[in-house]
Amino acid sequence: MWQVKNSLAVIVLLTAGMLWSCKPSLPPGIIAKDKIEDILYDYHMAQAMGRLKSGEEADYERMACYHAVLRKHGVTEEQFDSSMVFYYKRIDYLKDIYSRVNERMANEATALGASTGALSQYSQYSEDGDTANVWRMGTTALLIPRPTMNRFDFSITADSTYKKGDAFMLQFNTEWICQNGTKDAVVCVVTKYDGDSIVQTASHVTIAGLAQIRVPACNTRLLKELKGYIYLNDGGDEQESRKMMFISQIQLIRFHNKQLPEESETERRDSVQTDSLRRADYPAGGAPDTLRRRTVGRQGRYVLPVEERTAPDRVVVRDHQLKR
């Protein structure tokens, strides 16, 4: 029994040693993930307060807050920059850090009584109500201007809860870290309706905070699919320039049109049957091919007939005299 216990203890110690040795270590001078999370949290909270002002005063306030945050955590600007370069190349680390930062900011906003904001006022509605949040994908994304990492795609297939006259609004919160250059992201929403009718709505996001894009209603057709993307431009900046856009609290709000009369089941069934009927006077299922009987003009006023059973634009060339 003693030998068995000792063997189990040895196995546990060896396993713990293997797990510890496999734990990734950070290069010298790189700020740890927990500490960089605290710095980014304070940084974005300071940036949010700086957005309350405008113009040159706001720019000065944001820079002052940025240096105040670094002094609070005892970190130099060089250490912070080199650490962000390290995490910038490891998008999985950075996304995990920003997810926790966003959660902390949301909890702080709730504690301060900000539960009635535009991003939270629709959360209480059910999925099949007149107003509902129908987003069912991940609610966060981190974009950097690099191929495969600069675009977030989404797609939603309509079901029986969608009706004619539905309008939509895609909204989300954004936070930026931009070393230099422009802040510009393109948001595109494509709605596909019955009969393959397509409507595309696009907008630009250039500032931090709440972003909204509204999709107008279609009163005559039912929605089949809604899809789109959020794309971060590089703005022609240098590749070494760091630019990040963190997207959180993504919502797609659907609004039913209460004033539009609902289509009855009988009308819907008759409409489907009418669309599937074929013309009775053409048993083959289509109108006669009149293209093969048309004539094509060539050389002045002389008209050459198209031969039977030939392609519409295939003309037989014959010797002929032109009439003057």
Side-chain angles (χ1 to χ4, degrees):
M1 180 65 68
W2 183 83
Q3 291 180 347
V4 173
K5 290 183 177 180
N6 281 348
S7 299
L8 291 175
V10 171
I11 292 174
V12 171
L13 290 175
L14 288 175
T15 304
M18 292 176 62
L19 292 175
W20 179 261
S21 62
C22 293
K23 184 178 180 179
S25 58
L26 298 176
I30 300 301
I31 303 174
K33 292 175 64 176
D34 293 342
K35 189 170 184 179
I36 202 74
E37 176 188 331
D38 292 336
I39 295 174
L40 289 174
Y41 170 76
D42 289 338
Y43 169 80
H44 285 296
M45 291 294 290
Q47 294 296 303
M49 290 185 291
R51 287 198 294 269
L52 298 177
K53 300 181 180 180
S54 59
E56 296 181 358
E57 184 181 1
D59 296 335
Y60 174 80
E61 188 75 20
R62 282 193 288 267
M63 287 302 299
C65 290
Y66 166 66
H67 291 291
V69 168
L70 295 183
R71 287 195 300 270
K72 172 185 175 182
H73 292 277
V75 174
T76 65
E77 191 171 354
E78 290 76 17
Q79 288 177 314
F80 179 73
D81 286 343
S82 59
S83 298
M84 289 304 298
V85 169
F86 172 80
Y87 288 111
Y88 190 77
K89 297 178 180 179
R90 291 157 180 81
I91 195 69
D92 53 337
Y93 283 13
L94 200 56
K95 186 175 181 179
D96 184 52
I97 292 171
Y98 261 98
S99 296
R100 294 197 297 270
V101 169
N102 176 71
E103 184 178 358
R104 291 173 60 179
M105 293 179 67
N107 292 337
E108 180 70 16
T110 302
L112 295 175
S115 59
T116 58
L119 282 167
S120 59
Q121 62 178 326
Y122 299 107
S123 303
Q124 57 183 323
Y125 295 104
S126 61
E127 184 178 352
D128 55 353
D130 290 332
T131 302
N133 176 20
V134 295
W135 185 265
R136 293 296 173 266
M137 300 178 61
T139 58
T140 60
L142 180 63
L143 303 182
I144 62 176
R146 188 180 299 172
T148 72
M149 301 179 186
N150 58 356
R151 177 163 164 156
F152 174 73
D153 291 88
F154 55 89
S155 178
I156 296 177
T157 303
D159 54 26
S160 59
T161 62
Y162 291 73
K163 302 176 182 179
K164 292 181 181 180
D166 283 348
F168 301 90
M169 180 176 66
L170 177 68
Q171 63 177 11
F172 49 87
N173 192 63
T174 60
E175 293 294 343
W176 295 80
I177 284 188
C178 190
Q179 186 179 19
N180 52 49
T182 59
K183 302 175 183 178
D184 184 26
V186 178
V187 185
C188 180
V189 179
V190 179
T191 46
K192 184 177 181 180
Y193 298 91
D194 285 340
D196 293 334
S197 177
I198 295 177
V199 177
Q200 177 174 298
T201 309
S203 181
H204 286 259
V205 178
T206 58
I207 60 175
L210 178 64
Q212 293 179 327
I213 178 171
R214 296 178 180 272
V215 180
C218 179
N219 296 331
T220 58
R221 296 179 183 273
L222 281 171
L223 181 73
K224 294 174 60 177
E225 183 185 21
L226 184 149
K227 59 183 179 180
Y229 60 85
I230 304 173
Y231 172 72
L232 178 60
N233 292 316
D234 59 8
D237 301 331
E238 299 177 358
Q239 293 185 355
E240 293 79 11
S241 178
R242 295 188 304 278
K243 182 187 299 184
M244 292 174 290
M245 178 186 183
F246 183 68
I247 305 168
S248 62
Q249 303 180 61
I250 305 175
Q251 295 179 343
L252 179 65
I253 312 302
R254 182 194 63 206
F255 304 94
H256 283 330
N257 188 352
K258 299 180 181 180
Q259 298 180 351
L260 189 68
E262 294 189 9
E263 186 179 31
S264 66
E265 184 64 28
T266 303
E267 292 174 338
R268 189 180 300 110
R269 183 171 57 253
D270 292 343
S271 176
V272 173
Q273 291 176 353
T274 302
D275 291 339
S276 62
L277 289 178
R278 293 182 174 181
R279 291 174 59 95
D281 45 347
Y282 299 111
D289 187 2
T290 58
L291 289 177
R292 300 186 185 278
R293 299 183 180 274
R294 70 184 181 92
T295 58
V296 180
R298 292 289 189 274
Q299 301 185 25
R301 298 178 181 275
Y302 191 81
V303 177
L304 298 178
V306 180
E307 276 197 354
E308 295 289 341
R309 300 180 182 178
T310 61
D313 295 326
R314 185 175 176 183
V315 179
V316 178
V317 179
R318 297 179 178 143
D319 295 334
H320 54 275
Q321 293 288 336
L322 292 179
K323 295 183 179 179
R324 298 186 180 274

